[in-house]
């Protein structure tokens, strides 16, 4: 049990995030402290080197002054040795050699024996700084003008003070490191707790969401950060899922309803026909009725299959150059006998000769559905008008108008929905599947066009389609 809790704790998001934050911050802090420690040592040694160089210049001046006073070089060295022995922070020690390597003078101190051996054959005026144990020694070839001769001077000082300073700095770093580590852990846990709480809330809410409960939403934080973007994105996804489930639910309900009516009608007709012995003409009438219902069902199934292909984007449009005016005239010839039988006027007011790049079958079905609706809902002595115009270099406008009953304004927004019918109580001759206008909309959109409907309750309906002449890939 303890092992499981331990593994769960280690794999928690906030713990892993804290470890990551701590590792990065702690590594950067160590690199920074190491760099500062190096720079401190470097600058301290450099400063001591500057002090030694100043002492070399002072020694040179002291020796020259003594020689000008007719004193010996040893007396100048003694005066300089007495002067540097009073240094509090950086006590100096020196030795003086001839250019041949013979020692002339050395200051009285036991550290002199720790001085490195002199380097001869160094160019006159050249100096060299040496680290030797705890000493910093500067060695320089000096030209003493009063004697017109060259000497080798070694002057050095102890680095104990600089070492103490750097050791104190290192000690402070060692003390601060555990404190920094603690603050890193506390800060990391505090910073990652908000993210963990948001994730736990997301997990909790999403676990409650099912197909029967899509009303749950995540609480959107006030801060404009990535967490808010994630929350809004998830809520938008749930909105889309809810809408899709509602559409599926309505679609299933509508399909069930639309299939049930003709099936019950078939069942009732067959039961009535078989209930008693009938004549041949009565059997033929019954079979004719059944055939009409079956054709209605087949049309509905075909329409549903076409809509499904549009939804899954599996429909392949066969684009070709077609004379849409000729296509309209062919459909006009097809519907003309029907309108004459209904005593309805069908007219083509304008039909420009236009070569359109489109799918012939789909465009034919589009115009057929619109004309079928117009013929179905236009009363006796009514008027149906077709017009086709080219409105610019690459766009056509097809308008099919009638002066029938029209559509109320509050129902126009739903006219292209699946299975939607403005008046469900219409007679069988007027009643359709409610899929025709939805299919029209999908065909127009597949051709990168637009379709809209204008309605006046007393003047009928106008369906206006705009479509590009050439399709751009």
């Amino acid at each position: 049990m303890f092992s499981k809790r331990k593994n769960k704790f280690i794999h928690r998001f906030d713990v892993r995030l804290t470890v990551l934050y701590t590792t990065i911050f702690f590594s950067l802090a160590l690199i920074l402290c190491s760099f500062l420690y190096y720079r401190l040592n470097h600058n301290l040694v450099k400063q001591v080197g500057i002090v030694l160089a100043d002492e070399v210049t002072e020694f040179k001046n002291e020796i020259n002054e003594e020689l000008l006073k007719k004193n010996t070089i040893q007396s100048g060295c003694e005066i300089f040795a007495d002067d540097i022995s009073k240094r509090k922070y950086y006590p100096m020690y020196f030795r003086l050699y001839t250019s041949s390597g013979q020692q002339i003078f050395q200051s009285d101190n036991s550290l002199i024996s720790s001085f490195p051996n002199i380097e001869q054959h160094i160019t006159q005026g050249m100096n060299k700084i040496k680290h030797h144990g705890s000493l910093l020694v500067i060695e320089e070839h000096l030209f003493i003008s009063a004697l017109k001769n060259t000497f080798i001077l070694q002057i050095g000082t102890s680095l104990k003070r600089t070492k103490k300073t750097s050791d104190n700095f290192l000690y402070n770093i060692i003390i601060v490191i555990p404190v920094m580590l603690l603050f890193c852990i506390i800060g990391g846990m505090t910073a990652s707790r908000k993210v963990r709480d948001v994730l736990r809330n997301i997990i909790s809410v999403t676990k409650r969401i099912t197909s029967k409960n899509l009303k749950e939403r995540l609480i959107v934080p006030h801060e404009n950060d990535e967490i808010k973007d994630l929350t809004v994105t998830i809520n938008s996804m749930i909105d889309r899922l809810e809408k899709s489930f509602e559409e599926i639910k309505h679609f299933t309900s509508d399909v069930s309803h639309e299939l049930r009516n003709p099936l019950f009608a078939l069942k009732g007709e067959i039961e009535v026909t078989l209930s008693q012995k009938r004549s041949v003409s009565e059997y033929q009438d019954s079979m004719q009725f059944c055939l009409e219902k079956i054709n209605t069902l087949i049309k509905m199934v075909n329409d549903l299959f076409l809509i499904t292909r549009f939804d899954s984007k599996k429909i392949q449009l066969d684009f070709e150059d077609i004379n849409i005016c000729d296509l309209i005239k062919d459909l006009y010839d097809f519907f003309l006998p029907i309108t004459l039988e209904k005593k309805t006027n069908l007219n083509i007011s304008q039909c420009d000769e236009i070569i359109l790049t489109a799918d012939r079958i789909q465009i034919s079905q589009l115009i057929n559905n619109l004309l079928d609706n117009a013929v179905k809902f236009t009363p006796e002595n009514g008027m149906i008008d077709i017009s086709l115009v080219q409105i610019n270099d690459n766009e056509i406008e097809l308008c099919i108008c009638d002066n029938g009953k029209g559509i109320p304004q509050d129902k126009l927004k739903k006219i292209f929905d699946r299975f939607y019918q403005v008046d469900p109580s219409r007679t069988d001759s007027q009643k359709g599947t409610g899929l025709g206008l939805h299919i029209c909309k999908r065909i127009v959109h597949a051709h990168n066009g637009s379709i809209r409907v204008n309605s006046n309750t007393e003047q009928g309906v106008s369906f206006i389609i705009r479509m590009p002449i050439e399709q751009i890939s």
Side-chain angles (χ1 to χ4, degrees):
M1 181 65 73
F2 176 76
S3 177
K4 288 183 178 179
R5 289 183 177 180
K6 181 180 178 181
N7 289 335
K8 187 176 180 181
F9 176 79
I10 293 173
H11 289 92
R12 269 172 43 180
F13 177 78
D14 57 334
V15 173
R16 289 188 285 120
L17 197 60
T18 300
V19 171
L20 177 63
Y21 286 160
T22 303
T23 302
I24 293 174
F25 184 80
F26 194 65
S27 299
L28 291 175
L30 283 179
I31 293 171
L32 179 62
C33 290
S34 300
F35 175 74
L36 292 176
Y37 180 73
Y38 166 77
R39 290 297 300 172
L40 177 65
N41 278 328
H42 178 77
N43 288 335
L44 287 174
V45 172
K46 184 178 179 181
Q47 190 63 36
V48 173
I50 292 172
V51 172
L52 288 176
D54 291 340
E55 295 296 339
V56 170
T57 303
E58 186 177 341
F59 173 81
K60 183 177 177 181
N61 294 334
E62 186 71 37
I63 294 298
N64 280 324
E65 287 179 6
E66 288 300 314
L67 291 176
L68 290 174
K69 294 176 182 178
K70 306 300 184 179
N71 295 328
T72 63
I73 193 170
Q74 284 81 1
S75 63
C77 290
E78 289 173 356
I79 294 172
F80 182 73
D82 182 63
D83 183 43
I84 62 176
S85 65
K86 299 174 183 177
R87 303 284 194 272
K88 181 178 180 181
Y89 296 111
Y90 293 106
M92 301 291 171
Y93 321 108
F94 73 96
R95 290 190 301 195
L96 185 65
Y97 295 87
T98 63
S99 57
S100 60
Q102 181 181 357
Q103 181 175 309
I104 299 174
F105 186 89
Q106 74 173 24
S107 59
D108 186 17
N109 192 277
S110 59
L111 287 177
I112 289 294
S113 59
S114 301
F115 271 35
N117 296 326
I118 62 171
E119 292 189 17
Q120 299 183 22
H121 311 294
I122 298 179
T123 306
Q124 181 176 315
M126 181 177 178
N127 61 64
K128 188 171 184 179
I129 297 177
K130 299 179 180 180
H131 282 275
H132 198 75
S134 61
L135 293 176
L136 183 70
V137 178
I138 184 169
E139 183 175 299
E140 184 168 348
H141 281 217
L142 300 177
F143 177 73
I144 307 300
S145 59
L147 296 177
K148 298 187 183 302
N149 205 346
T150 301
F151 297 88
I152 300 174
L153 172 67
Q154 279 188 329
I155 184 168
T157 184
S158 174
L159 293 175
K160 287 183 179 179
R161 184 171 182 81
T162 58
K163 188 176 185 304
K164 183 179 179 181
T165 302
S166 60
D167 288 346
N168 286 337
F169 181 76
L170 183 60
Y171 176 74
N172 291 331
I173 290 176
I174 294 173
I175 293 176
V176 167
I177 282 176
V179 178
M180 288 173 58
L181 184 60
L182 180 62
F183 275 104
C184 285
I185 295 173
I186 295 173
M189 290 294 289
T190 304
S192 60
R193 180 169 297 174
K194 177 185 174 182
V195 180
R196 180 170 178 257
D197 292 341
V198 171
L199 293 177
R200 292 181 67 179
N201 179 52
I202 292 174
I203 294 170
S204 175
V205 172
T206 50
K207 280 183 177 179
R208 295 197 300 267
I209 295 174
T210 62
S211 60
K212 297 179 180 179
N213 177 27
L214 287 169
K215 300 296 181 184
E216 289 276 358
R217 294 295 183 273
L218 300 174
I219 299 174
V220 180
H222 298 292
E223 295 82 359
N224 290 320
D225 53 12
E226 289 80 3
I227 295 176
K228 182 177 180 180
D229 293 339
L230 175 63
T231 306
V232 171
T233 302
I234 293 175
N235 284 341
S236 299
M237 179 187 68
I238 299 173
D239 289 339
R240 294 192 298 272
L241 285 174
E242 183 180 13
K243 183 179 178 181
S244 298
F245 271 97
E246 287 296 324
E247 288 178 353
I248 292 171
K249 189 185 297 183
H250 290 156
F251 180 76
T252 305
S253 175
D254 291 338
V255 169
S256 300
H257 176 75
E258 295 298 329
L259 290 175
R260 182 182 61 182
N261 289 342
L263 287 173
F264 276 159
L266 277 171
K267 182 176 181 293
E269 180 67 22
I270 293 171
E271 287 175 347
V272 170
T273 303
L274 294 175
S275 64
Q276 61 183 11
K277 205 168 188 180
R278 300 184 183 277
S279 65
V280 174
S281 62
E282 286 178 328
Y283 279 122
Q284 286 179 342
D285 291 340
S286 177
M287 294 299 290
Q288 182 66 34
F289 176 82
C290 291
L291 182 61
E292 289 176 359
K293 292 299 180 183
I294 290 172
N295 286 335
T296 301
L297 288 172
I298 291 173
K299 183 179 184 306
M300 184 185 299
V301 171
N302 288 335
D303 288 345
L304 288 173
F305 180 67
L306 179 61
I307 292 171
T308 304
R309 290 175 67 197
F310 272 119
D311 287 339
S312 60
K313 298 181 180 179
K314 291 182 179 179
I315 190 164
Q316 297 292 330
L317 297 180
D318 185 15
F319 288 107
E320 58 179 308
D321 291 338
I322 60 174
N323 190 323
I324 190 170
C325 183
D326 290 345
L327 185 60
I328 291 173
K329 289 177 180 178
D330 290 341
L331 289 169
Y332 170 84
D333 293 337
F334 175 81
F335 279 98
L336 185 59
I338 302 173
T339 57
L340 290 175
E341 185 180 348
K342 282 192 66 177
K343 297 181 181 180
T344 303
N345 296 314
L346 180 61
N347 179 52
I348 300 177
S349 60
Q350 184 175 352
C351 191
D352 294 347
E353 292 289 336
I354 302 170
I355 303 299
L356 180 70
T357 303
D359 187 305
R360 178 183 292 274
I361 296 175
Q362 298 297 333
I363 296 298
S364 179
Q365 183 173 359
L366 164 68
I367 301 172
N368 182 82
N369 286 355
L370 293 176
L371 286 175
D372 184 61
N373 268 8
V375 171
K376 193 180 295 182
F377 300 120
T378 301
E380 188 177 332
N381 298 321
M383 172 68 74
I384 302 171
D385 182 74
I386 306 170
S387 68
L388 174 67
V389 296
Q390 181 172 342
I391 57 176
N392 57 48
D393 292 341
N394 191 42
E395 193 171 20
I396 64 165
E397 182 177 273
L398 171 65
C399 183
I400 299 177
C401 308
D402 65 68
N403 61 351
K405 185 178 178 181
I407 303 172
Q409 291 292 333
D410 60 333
K411 296 184 178 181
L412 286 177
K413 291 182 178 179
K414 297 182 179 180
I415 196 67
F416 294 107
D417 292 351
R418 297 175 186 176
F419 297 109
Y420 184 75
Q421 297 187 40
V422 176
D423 185 3
S425 63
R426 287 169 175 162
T427 62
D428 288 343
S429 62
Q430 291 181 322
K431 206 167 185 180
T433 61
L435 297 172
L437 291 179
H438 180 77
I439 291 173
C440 289
K441 178 183 176 181
R442 302 302 290 267
I443 292 172
V444 171
H445 287 177
H447 285 79
N448 300 312
S450 64
I451 182 170
R452 72 179 191 273
V453 56
N454 295 333
S455 177
N456 186 307
T457 305
E458 297 181 357
Q459 294 182 1
V461 171
S462 298
F463 285 93
I464 302 166
I465 299 164
R466 288 194 173 186
M467 198 177 295
I469 295 175
E470 294 183 0
Q471 297 293 328
I472 300 174
S473 301

